[in-house]
Coordinates of all heavy atoms in Angstrom, one line a residue:
V128 N -4.3 -2.3 -6.3 CA -5.3 -1.2 -6.3 C -6.1 -1.2 -7.6 O -5.5 -1.1 -8.7 CB -4.6 0.2 -6.1 CG1 -5.6 1.3 -6.1 CG2 -3.8 0.2 -4.8
G129 N -7.4 -1.3 -7.5 CA -8.2 -1.3 -8.7 C -8.4 0.1 -9.2 O -8.7 1.0 -8.4
V130 N -8.3 0.3 -10.5 CA -8.5 1.6 -11.1 C -9.3 1.5 -12.4 O -9.4 0.4 -13.0 CB -7.2 2.4 -11.4 CG1 -6.4 2.6 -10.2 CG2 -6.3 1.6 -12.5
D131 N -9.9 2.6 -12.9 CA -10.7 2.5 -14.1 C -9.8 2.8 -15.3 O -10.1 2.3 -16.4 CB -11.8 3.5 -14.1 CG -12.9 3.2 -13.1 OD1 -13.1 2.0 -12.8 OD2 -13.5 4.1 -12.5
D132 N -8.8 3.6 -15.1 CA -7.9 4.0 -16.2 C -6.5 4.0 -15.8 O -6.0 4.8 -14.9 CB -8.3 5.4 -16.7 CG -7.5 6.0 -17.8 OD1 -6.3 5.8 -17.9 OD2 -8.1 6.7 -18.6
L133 N -5.7 3.0 -16.3 CA -4.3 2.9 -15.9 C -3.5 4.2 -16.1 O -2.7 4.6 -15.2 CB -3.6 1.7 -16.7 CG -3.9 0.3 -16.1 CD1 -3.2 -0.7 -17.1 CD2 -3.3 0.1 -14.8
E134 N -3.6 4.8 -17.3 CA -2.8 5.9 -17.6 C -3.1 7.1 -16.6 O -2.2 7.7 -16.1 CB -3.0 6.4 -19.0 CG -2.6 5.4 -20.1 CD -1.1 5.0 -20.0 OE1 -0.3 5.9 -19.7 OE2 -0.8 3.8 -20.3
A135 N -4.4 7.4 -16.4 CA -4.8 8.5 -15.6 C -4.4 8.2 -14.1 O -3.9 9.1 -13.4 CB -6.3 8.7 -15.7
A136 N -4.6 7.0 -13.7 CA -4.2 6.6 -12.3 C -2.7 6.7 -12.1 O -2.3 7.3 -11.0 CB -4.7 5.2 -11.9
E137 N -2.0 6.2 -13.0 CA -0.5 6.3 -12.9 C -0.1 7.7 -12.8 O 0.7 8.1 -11.9 CB 0.2 5.6 -14.1 CG 1.7 5.7 -14.0 CD 2.3 5.0 -15.3 OE1 1.9 3.9 -15.6 OE2 3.1 5.7 -15.9
A138 N -0.6 8.6 -13.7 CA -0.2 10.0 -13.7 C -0.5 10.7 -12.3 O 0.3 11.4 -11.8 CB -0.9 10.7 -14.8
R139 N -1.7 10.4 -11.8 CA -2.1 11.0 -10.5 C -1.2 10.5 -9.4 O -0.7 11.3 -8.5 CB -3.5 10.7 -10.2 CG -4.0 11.2 -8.9 CD -4.0 12.7 -8.8 NE -4.5 13.1 -7.5 CZ -4.0 14.1 -6.8 NH1 -3.0 14.8 -7.2 NH2 -4.5 14.4 -5.6
L140 N -0.9 9.2 -9.3 CA 0.0 8.7 -8.3 C 1.4 9.2 -8.4 O 2.0 9.5 -7.4 CB -0.1 7.2 -8.3 CG -1.5 6.7 -7.9 CD1 -1.6 5.2 -8.2 CD2 -1.8 7.0 -6.5
K147 N 8.0 5.2 -10.6 CA 7.7 4.0 -11.4 C 9.1 3.4 -11.8 O 9.9 3.9 -12.5 CB 7.0 4.5 -12.7 CG 6.6 3.3 -13.6 CD 5.9 3.8 -14.8 CE 5.6 2.7 -15.8 NZ 4.9 3.2 -17.0
Q153 N 4.0 -6.8 -16.7 CA 2.9 -6.9 -17.6 C 2.2 -5.5 -17.7 O 1.0 -5.4 -17.2 CB 1.9 -8.0 -17.3 CG 2.5 -9.3 -17.5 CD 1.4 -10.4 -17.3 OE1 0.3 -10.2 -16.7 NE2 1.8 -11.6 -17.7
P154 N 2.8 -4.5 -18.2 CA 2.3 -3.1 -18.1 C 0.9 -2.9 -18.8 O 0.2 -1.9 -18.5 CB 3.3 -2.3 -18.8 CG 4.1 -3.2 -19.7 CD 4.0 -4.5 -19.0
D155 N 0.5 -3.8 -19.7 CA -0.8 -3.7 -20.3 C -1.9 -4.2 -19.4 O -3.1 -3.8 -19.5 CB -0.9 -4.4 -21.6 CG -0.5 -5.9 -21.5 OD1 0.3 -6.2 -20.7 OD2 -1.1 -6.7 -22.2
R156 N -1.6 -4.9 -18.3 CA -2.5 -5.5 -17.4 C -2.5 -4.7 -16.0 O -3.5 -4.6 -15.4 CB -2.3 -7.0 -17.1 CG -2.5 -7.8 -18.4 CD -2.3 -9.2 -18.1 NE -3.3 -9.6 -17.1 CZ -3.8 -10.8 -17.0 NH1 -3.4 -11.7 -17.7 NH2 -4.7 -11.0 -16.0
W157 N -1.3 -4.4 -15.6 CA -1.1 -3.6 -14.4 C 0.2 -2.9 -14.4 O 1.1 -3.3 -15.1 CB -1.3 -4.5 -13.1 CG -0.3 -5.6 -12.9 CD1 1.0 -5.5 -12.4 CD2 -0.4 -7.0 -13.2 NE1 1.7 -6.7 -12.4 CE2 0.8 -7.6 -12.8 CE3 -1.5 -7.8 -13.6 CZ2 1.0 -9.0 -13.0 CZ3 -1.3 -9.1 -13.8 CH2 -0.1 -9.7 -13.4
R158 N 0.3 -1.9 -13.5 CA 1.6 -1.2 -13.4 C 2.1 -1.3 -12.0 O 1.3 -1.2 -11.0 CB 1.3 0.3 -13.7 CG 0.6 0.6 -14.9 CD 1.5 0.5 -16.2 NE 0.7 0.5 -17.4 CZ 0.2 1.5 -18.0 NH1 0.4 2.8 -17.5 NH2 -0.5 1.4 -19.1
V159 N 3.3 -1.5 -11.9 CA 4.0 -1.5 -10.6 C 4.5 -0.1 -10.3 O 5.2 0.5 -11.1 CB 5.2 -2.5 -10.5 CG1 5.8 -2.5 -9.2 CG2 4.7 -3.9 -10.9
L160 N 4.2 0.4 -9.1 CA 4.7 1.7 -8.7 C 5.3 1.5 -7.3 O 5.0 0.5 -6.7 CB 3.5 2.7 -8.6 CG 2.8 3.0 -10.0 CD1 1.7 4.0 -9.8 CD2 3.8 3.6 -11.0
C169 N 0.6 -2.3 -6.9 CA 0.2 -2.4 -8.3 C -1.1 -1.7 -8.5 O -2.0 -1.7 -7.6 CB 0.0 -3.9 -8.7 SG 1.6 -4.8 -8.6
I170 N -1.3 -1.1 -9.6 CA -2.6 -0.6 -10.1 C -3.0 -1.4 -11.2 O -2.2 -1.8 -12.1 CB -2.6 0.9 -10.4 CG1 -1.6 1.2 -11.5 CG2 -2.3 1.7 -9.1 CD1 -1.6 2.7 -12.0
T171 N -4.3 -1.8 -11.3 CA -4.8 -2.6 -12.3 C -6.3 -2.3 -12.6 O -7.0 -1.9 -11.8 CB -4.7 -4.1 -11.9 OG1 -5.1 -5.0 -13.0 CG2 -5.4 -4.4 -10.6
T172 N -6.7 -2.6 -13.9 CA -8.1 -2.5 -14.2 C -8.8 -3.9 -14.1 O -10.0 -4.0 -14.4 CB -8.2 -2.0 -15.7 OG1 -7.5 -2.9 -16.6 CG2 -7.7 -0.6 -15.8
L173 N -8.1 -4.9 -13.6 CA -8.6 -6.2 -13.6 C -9.5 -6.4 -12.3 O -10.2 -7.4 -12.3 CB -7.5 -7.3 -13.6 CG -6.6 -7.2 -14.8 CD1 -5.5 -8.2 -14.7 CD2 -7.4 -7.5 -16.0

Side-chain angles (χ1 to χ4, degrees):
V128 179
V130 300
D131 293 330
D132 181 321
L133 279 174
E134 298 299 327
E137 177 183 310
R139 175 65 178 139
L140 293 169
K147 183 178 178 182
Q153 293 185 345
D155 57 325
R156 297 183 61 151
W157 64 79
R158 308 283 166 80
V159 179
L160 300 175
C169 296
I170 57 174
T171 182
T172 57
L173 301 177

